[in-house]
């Protein structure tokens, strides 16, 4: 059954993030996420602590953190601490690093090192002993009665997706195109199976903007920043694998028209770097339109095995979007008669 999450930017004032997460919880959302890009926005770890204190049921985490900007031992300890504060409601989303690293002049963490680090983090934050930097380490204060902190791994390319399959509890997919989602999950699940893991246990978490409006053109214009954001990762894939690879052309072809990207407008409505995005790409990558159109797209995502749909809440009318989902969409997917 499809569950629902929301991602709120850690923009000042910090009270706004808590307010929107509380509202999401009231409207039946199960997950509250935020970005981890400590220069572009406020530092998100303390904001998650405030969100944990201000909510009761919402599962909380970063969409996504990385093990490069953050030392793995510090990141694991932060999540273990937040797990204590939240009484067991944390979930980690982690990737190789985009804006958090590129904006300060660093590249995404190399894939092999990424796998080594996140495998350690997964054990360490959940109280298990690890061997790290030639030392045996353990967070001995982790409470045994708390549930395991799940780790969902973000990726697009075959190598990163193989890491998700070998290490992660789920895959974070930052787009809502069914054909691409199916390829991504098949790639990750193949790696899970080859590693002796249950491929069907791998969760599918889809993250994308969703703007509900009768004015489809306005909805597209408000969300064209999103395929432009995704293009940062796709450009890297094209450079590594070329234009003729196993990666679906539905994912790679559109970046040929990209001209530039300005991280100062990262995830902002109206960002000029989104001008190359066509209406067709906007429709495929996001979940846009009337309530009925949004329901139809979400039912399609559910039918291909998506476990969670997470709204990137970076458009206008944020309260109205949360209310529309709470009133008209989430109850239907929960099997509740409205």
């Amino acid at each position: 059954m499809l569950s629902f999450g929301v991602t709120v930017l850690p923009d000042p004032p910090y009270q706004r993030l808590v307010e929107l997460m509380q509202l999401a919880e009231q409207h039946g959302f199960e997950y509250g996420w935020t970005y981890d890009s400590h220069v572009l926005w406020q530092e998100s770890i303390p904001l998650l602590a405030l969100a944990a204190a201000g909510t009761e049921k919402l599962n909380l985490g970063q969409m996504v953190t990385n093990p490069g900007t953050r030392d793995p031992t510090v990141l694991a300890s932060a999540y273990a601490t937040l797990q204590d504060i939240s009484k067991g409601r944390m979930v980690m989303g982690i990737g190789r690093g985009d804006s958090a690293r590129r904006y300060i002049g660093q590249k995404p963490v190399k894939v092999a090192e990424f796998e080594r680090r996140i495998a350690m983090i997964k054990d360490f934050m959940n109280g298990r002993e690890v061997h790290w930097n030639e030392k045996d380490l353990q967070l001995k204060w982790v409470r045994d009665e708390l549930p395991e902190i799940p780790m969902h791994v973000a990726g697009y390319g075959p190598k990163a997706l193989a890491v998700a399959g070998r290490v992660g509890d789920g895959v974070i997919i930052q787009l809502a195109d069914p054909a691409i989602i199916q390829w991504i999950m098949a790639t990750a699940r193949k790696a899970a199976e080859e590693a002796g893991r249950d491929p069907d246990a791998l969760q599918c978490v889809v993250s994308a903007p969703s703007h509900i409006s009768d004015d489809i053109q306005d909805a597209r214009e408000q969300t064209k920043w999103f395929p432009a954001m995704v293009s940062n990762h796709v450009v890297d894939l094209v450079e590594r694998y070329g234009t003729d690879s196993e990666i679906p052309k539905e994912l790679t072809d559109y970046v040929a028209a990209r001209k530039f990207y300005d991280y100062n407008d990262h995830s902002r409505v109206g960002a000029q770097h989104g001008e190359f995005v066509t209406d067709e790409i906007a429709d495929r990558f996001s979940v846009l339109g009337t309530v009925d159109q949004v329901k139809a797209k979400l039912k399609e995502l559910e039918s291909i095995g998506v476990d969670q749909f997470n709204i990137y809440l970076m458009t206008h009318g944020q309260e109205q979007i949360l209310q529309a989902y709470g009133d008209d969409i989430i109850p239907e997917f929960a099997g509740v008669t409205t």
Side-chain angles (χ1 to χ4, degrees):
M1 189 174 292
L2 191 65
S3 62
F4 291 86
V6 63
T7 296
V8 180
L9 285 180
D11 251 344
Y14 68 86
Q15 293 93 337
R16 177 67 171 164
L17 178 141
V18 178
E19 176 184 287
L20 287 171
M21 288 199 173
Q22 289 171 331
L23 192 59
E25 183 175 72
Q26 293 165 20
H27 284 304
F29 287 80
E30 294 180 46
Y31 294 86
W33 304 90
T34 190
Y35 274 19
D36 180 16
S37 196
H38 60 290
V39 178
L40 289 176
W41 296 288
Q42 291 186 319
E43 164 56 33
S44 54
I45 292 288
L47 297 190
L48 285 171
L50 291 174
T55 57
E56 296 179 358
K57 296 183 293 183
L58 206 64
N59 297 289
L60 299 164
Q62 290 162 315
M63 182 68 64
V64 298
T65 189
N66 76 82
T69 307
R70 298 186 182 276
D71 177 87
T73 61
V74 177
L75 181 59
S77 180
Y79 266 77
T81 303
L82 289 166
Q83 184 77 334
D84 190 11
I85 293 170
S86 67
K87 299 180 177 64
R89 292 185 282 131
M90 297 307 297
V91 55
M92 179 180 284
I94 194 162
R96 294 171 55 219
D98 180 31
S99 63
R101 290 181 60 78
R102 297 186 205 260
Y103 197 76
I104 60 172
Q106 297 177 347
K107 294 181 178 180
V109 179
K110 290 184 180 298
V111 174
E113 182 63 13
F114 175 64
E115 181 168 8
R116 188 179 80 93
R117 293 184 184 194
I118 68 170
M120 185 281 274
I121 290 168
K122 187 178 181 185
D123 282 338
F124 198 48
M125 70 180 175
N126 284 301
R128 294 185 286 276
E129 186 175 87
V130 300
H131 189 73
W132 192 251
N133 295 334
E134 300 182 356
K135 291 185 66 71
D136 293 325
L137 303 172
Q138 186 175 15
L139 299 176
K140 295 183 178 180
W141 43 264
V142 169
R143 292 164 53 195
D144 291 338
E145 66 270 23
L146 293 176
E148 184 104 351
I149 305 170
M151 173 186 280
H152 299 325
V153 180
Y156 295 96
K159 291 183 179 179
L161 293 173
V163 174
R166 288 191 293 265
V167 180
D169 298 299
V171 183
I172 291 172
I173 306 171
Q174 296 178 96
L175 50 78
D177 181 292
I180 301 172
I181 291 167
Q182 288 175 291
W183 175 81
I184 284 175
M185 291 307 300
T187 303
R189 286 188 168 128
K190 180 182 178 183
E193 188 170 21
E194 290 172 349
R197 306 181 76 204
D198 179 2
D200 294 330
L202 206 59
Q203 295 281 296
C204 177
V205 180
V206 167
S207 298
S210 182
H211 193 71
I212 298 176
S213 173
D214 295 331
D215 187 345
I216 187 64
Q217 196 56 44
D218 179 62
R220 290 165 177 158
E221 293 303 321
Q222 287 200 49
T223 56
K224 285 187 175 180
W225 60 265
F226 176 65
M229 181 191 81
V230 173
S231 75
N232 290 317
H233 305 282
V234 178
V235 166
D236 287 347
L237 293 180
V238 172
E239 288 178 357
R240 171 173 290 193
Y241 297 99
T243 55
D244 187 17
S245 71
E246 63 182 291
I247 302 169
K249 291 191 178 297
E250 291 95 333
L251 177 59
T252 58
D253 280 0
Y254 85 103
V255 301
R258 168 179 144 137
K259 297 176 181 177
F260 71 101
Y261 193 87
D262 183 356
Y263 274 97
N264 289 303
D265 287 329
H266 192 55
S267 299
R268 299 291 189 190
V269 173
Q272 288 189 350
H273 53 234
E275 291 177 351
F276 79 97
V277 175
T278 64
D279 290 347
E280 184 257 345
I281 291 294
D283 290 344
R284 283 206 284 117
F285 278 37
S286 297
V287 180
L288 310 175
T290 64
V291 167
D292 287 341
Q293 289 171 321
V294 166
K295 283 182 183 178
K297 178 80 175 268
L298 292 172
K299 287 183 184 297
E300 184 179 11
L301 295 180
E302 185 180 47
S303 74
I304 63 169
V306 174
D307 295 292
Q308 179 190 152
F309 176 66
N310 166 49
I311 301 172
Y312 276 162
L313 198 67
M314 297 117 191
T315 61
H316 302 152
Q318 294 171 324
E319 290 90 349
Q320 291 85 350
I321 293 169
L322 294 176
Q323 182 169 352
Y325 266 79
D327 290 350
D328 301 320
I329 296 172
I330 292 175
E332 182 165 323
F333 284 87
V336 177
T337 302
T338 55

